Amino acid sequence: MDFLPVFQKVKGRLCLVVGGGAVGTRKAGVLLEAGAKVRVVAPEIDDELKSNANVEAVVARFEAKHLDGVTLIIAATNDRSVNKQVSELAQARNIPVNVVDDPELCSFIMPAILDRSPLMVAFSSGGASPVLTRMMRGKLESIIPHNFKRLAQFAERFRELVKQRVTNPPKRRLFWEDVLEGVIAEKVLSGDEAGGEALLREMLDKEDNVLHGEVYLVGAGPGDPDLLTFRALRLMQKADVVVYDNLVSKPIVEMTRRDAERIYVGKKRDDHTLPQEEINLLLVRLAKEGKRVLRLKGGDPFIFGRGGEEIETLAAEGIAFQVVPGITAASGVASYAGIPLTHRDHAQSCIFVTGHLKDGTMNLDWDALARPKQTVVVYMGLRGLDTLCAELVKHGMPDTTPIAIVQHGTQPTQRVITGTLATLPAIAEREKPQAPTLIIIGGVVTLREKLAWFHP
Ligand code: SAH
């Protein structure tokens, strides 16, 4: 370790910035954000900076006397001899000094920061690679969402109260872990601070300080783990129990917390491992045991996913839940198959339907589907392919209309089979695509010849 990371208090103290260019101005801005008073010394100084009440603008060349009374110094001129002079004078007086982009002249370096005040993350490569540091920040940005600020402020607000009420330190640590990882944190993160506060007080009042669990209804997208949202990933790594069905790809299930209990509830067509009502009740029971339950669904939970029914039961039982959207099969599969769902030359609208057959019939509004300049996406349609093609033609769609079947879209086993309304049923009979498959109908299918980019 070449440097000792510390967080220095500059609130109300005088700091010096030498240099009035873009860099100096930016550094002065950071110091002001941390509550410092800033003396800026430069032949020319930015007007906005000059008019800031906490800035003492000294329009002049740097002189030793400018160091008087300062706590911390940043030199950012484009003249190395000036920077060197500032550094030497500062170090002679034991005042911490940073010279921008010149580690040799620094007694301290400025880290990259991620500001979720009061939560602060500062990191540095010790000047070895600013690009690496920036990339690291990007990664952290994604796992520490912006609203963590709220959570940190919330924790700060109740710190004293919890200290008074939960006096045993190890117990208090567990209490805070529950708060910051559980229902309360989720409430605060989603903007409901009052709700979070009510639950925190309820938890304090309970003998064992334990609350009900909660359910995260999370869309896992069409299969490629890269298509998960940040929020999905965060909740996946937090849940105690994972309830998933066969549409969720294996690599995604494996990204859930290692020690989480995993419950498979099946749901292949006509082979319902657990009926929907039992899944609904299972979620309720697990949450009532105090667990954080991840209900992981393929695609988006609110698109042909029966997500609405699952949370209706939760709502009726007063269990906290949140819904995380996912990339639905139509948009994931279309992208990876090189078929834009709309296109100025081919389709001004796009319609999603489910082709699930009840008693061998497909109950769809065929006239609405057969309209020109429209893309039709059919979920769960493979078994009814013959009926689908025949009905569309019967209702006026030309039998030369292009149509594609995409098997296992976005996954390494993706396959795209194309034809027309007239030819595809026979082609599919021969090619035997494997579920899940999505059917896309319309002129946009021809664009695939030019736009396909994913070649598993
Ligand atoms: N909620 C899901 C859809 C559930 S219905 C979503 O938003 O995507 C199940 C149907 O989705 C499957 O029968 C199939 O038509 C489609 N589907 C889901 N994932 C798919 C994939 N990776 N490739 C092709 N079709 C998929």
Side-chain angles (χ1 to χ4, degrees), residues 126-315:
S129 171
V131 175
L132 186 66
T133 322
R134 222 171 348 196
M135 278 164 53
M136 283 292 304
R137 185 173 54 194
K139 279 191 198 301
L140 287 175
E141 283 273 1
S142 65
I143 54 171
I144 309 179
H146 276 273
N147 44 13
F148 257 57
K149 202 179 175 75
R150 274 199 208 131
L151 189 58
Q153 284 164 351
F154 182 86
E156 187 178 39
R157 191 146 74 86
F158 293 103
R159 195 174 156 187
E160 266 315 306
L161 178 71
V162 172
K163 202 167 168 182
Q164 285 163 19
R165 300 279 302 274
V166 189
T167 48
N168 171 309
K171 264 202 177 155
R172 193 161 62 236
R173 187 173 56 79
L174 288 176
F175 181 93
W176 274 119
E177 278 178 11
D178 278 354
V179 170
L180 295 174
E181 287 195 325
V183 204
I184 297 180
E186 288 306 327
K187 277 227 178 297
V188 175
L189 288 171
S190 62
D192 181 9
E193 272 192 39
E197 175 171 353
L199 284 175
L200 183 117
R201 291 186 186 278
E202 185 185 329
M203 193 164 152
L204 281 171
D205 288 342
K206 288 205 171 177
E207 188 94 40
D208 54 1
N209 297 135
V210 175
L211 284 180
H212 265 179
E214 62 186 326
V215 177
Y216 318 130
L217 179 60
V218 172
D224 182 348
D226 276 8
L227 297 179
L228 286 170
T229 60
F230 291 143
R231 181 184 283 236
L233 186 61
R234 185 166 62 75
L235 297 176
M236 282 163 66
Q237 290 176 351
K238 183 160 141 172
D240 306 303
V241 195
V242 182
V243 179
Y244 68 103
D245 47 53
N246 68 308
L247 256 197
V248 181
S249 75
K250 197 159 172 259
I252 290 182
V253 175
E254 276 163 12
M255 284 164 82
T256 56
R257 217 178 80 197
R258 214 162 278 244
D259 56 344
E261 182 189 350
R262 292 174 186 170
I263 304 178
Y264 175 72
V265 290
K267 259 222 211 161
K268 277 194 195 105
R269 206 186 47 207
D270 296 340
D271 160 34
H272 291 224
T273 309
L274 262 196
Q276 186 66 48
E277 299 66 40
E278 282 183 35
I279 298 178
N280 302 351
L281 294 176
L282 174 71
L283 298 178
V284 169
R285 179 170 62 74
L286 291 168
K288 283 196 170 164
E289 285 168 11
K291 293 186 174 129
R292 291 172 299 215
V293 185
L294 176 75
R295 174 65 175 118
L296 201 53
K297 305 201 82 127
D300 182 283
F302 279 2
I303 297 186
F304 307 128
R306 304 187 76 172
E309 296 166 43
E310 295 184 9
I311 57 177
E312 255 172 61
T313 319
L314 297 171

Side-chain angles (χ1 to χ4, degrees), residues 222-223 247 298-301 303-305 327-330 333 378-381 406-411 436-438:
L247 256 197
D300 182 283
I303 297 186
F304 307 128
I327 292 188
T328 188
V333 168
V378 188
Y379 288 69
M380 297 177 273
V406 185
Q407 154 193 318
H408 301 180
T410 80
Q411 299 175 18
T437 59
L438 194 78

